Amino acid sequence: MKEIWRAGNMLYPLPVVLISTRGNDGKDNLFTVAWTGTVCSDPAMLSISVRPSRYSYQALMDTGVFAVNLTTEALTFATDFCGVRSGRDYDKWAECGLTKEEAKDIPVSLVKESPVNIECKVVNSMNLGSHVMFISEVLTVHADSQYMDESGRFSFEKASPIVYSHGEYYGLGKDLGKFGFSVKKAK
């Protein structure tokens, strides 16, 4: 028997990413977002949802650009720290020992230790209540070549990505099948 709960977000697990911004003052910051997702494949677009009270919210509004830095098991501490400490009070880059790399198409630092960095330009923002959703066009993707498999495909399992679920961080488990496996004809 299932219990009935009040309406809430029970869509789990979620990707958990580090967002990098640079304010008009030139200050770089990182913050953690678990409310992110694909919006469209052509053109490539994604969204992040951010509370207006967050320190980097103003940088997003002022500049209209940010980078998504995918997280790994090795980045779990930084992912958590950047979600619970404010850039108003901490240099999160220094506190977490992260290396800055300049983005190609936007004036934002990328996390060098991240296996994938995604440069984004905001095309729309929507105030949806507690959060503002930034719908963004993907301008450039940086993929670390050390995570490529023998066929030239990016291998996420080599990167050991993490997800967020109801207050916990998890590594991903074993591969359960490729897209279309349920209808693939036997050879």
Side-chain angles (χ1 to χ4, degrees):
M1 174 184 241
K2 292 184 181 173
E3 295 180 21
I4 303 296
W5 293 355
R6 67 176 178 82
N9 293 323
M10 289 299 294
L11 183 61
Y12 289 110
L14 302 167
V16 59
V17 298
L18 288 170
I19 302 297
S20 47
T21 60
R22 181 176 294 149
N24 282 340
D25 61 359
K27 183 177 178 186
D28 289 325
N29 191 41
L30 289 169
F31 65 103
T32 304
V33 169
W35 292 3
T36 183
T38 297
V39 173
C40 187
S41 59
D42 188 15
M45 298 180 79
L46 61 79
S47 69
I48 61 171
S49 293
V50 180
R51 287 182 185 272
S53 61
R54 298 292 184 208
Y55 177 69
S56 285
Y57 175 82
Q58 195 58 52
L60 286 168
M61 293 300 289
D62 289 347
T63 66
V65 295
F66 63 92
V68 175
N69 304 277
L70 298 190
T71 57
T72 64
E73 290 179 13
L75 290 170
T76 303
F77 177 87
T79 302
D80 186 64
F81 187 90
C82 292
V84 297
R85 294 292 188 225
S86 174
R88 285 183 190 97
D89 307 317
Y90 293 89
D91 177 348
K92 296 179 194 179
W93 294 89
E95 294 281 341
C96 296
L98 298 173
T99 310
K100 295 179 184 181
E101 286 189 319
E102 200 62 26
K104 177 182 173 286
D105 292 315
I106 60 174
V108 169
S109 291
L110 308 176
V111 176
K112 181 178 182 175
E113 294 79 4
S114 174
V116 175
N117 314 93
I118 306 167
E119 297 182 38
C120 299
K121 177 183 175 188
V122 176
V123 296
N124 196 1
S125 62
M126 300 170 57
N127 186 336
L128 300 172
S130 64
H131 287 70
V132 172
M133 178 185 284
F134 294 91
I135 299 170
S136 308
E137 180 182 357
V138 173
L139 301 176
T140 307
V141 176
H142 304 254
D144 192 328
S145 61
Q146 73 174 311
Y147 299 110
M148 299 301 179
D149 68 14
E150 49 283 340
S151 68
R153 184 182 68 91
F154 189 85
S155 174
F156 281 102
E157 61 276 10
K158 287 183 180 181
S160 301
I162 59 172
V163 293
Y164 180 81
S165 183
H166 221 56
E168 305 285 338
Y169 302 99
Y170 294 95
L172 295 180
K174 64 182 177 181
D175 180 0
L176 301 175
K178 294 188 187 300
F179 179 78
F181 82 95
S182 64
V183 296
K184 187 175 180 180
K185 293 181 181 175
K187 291 183 180 181

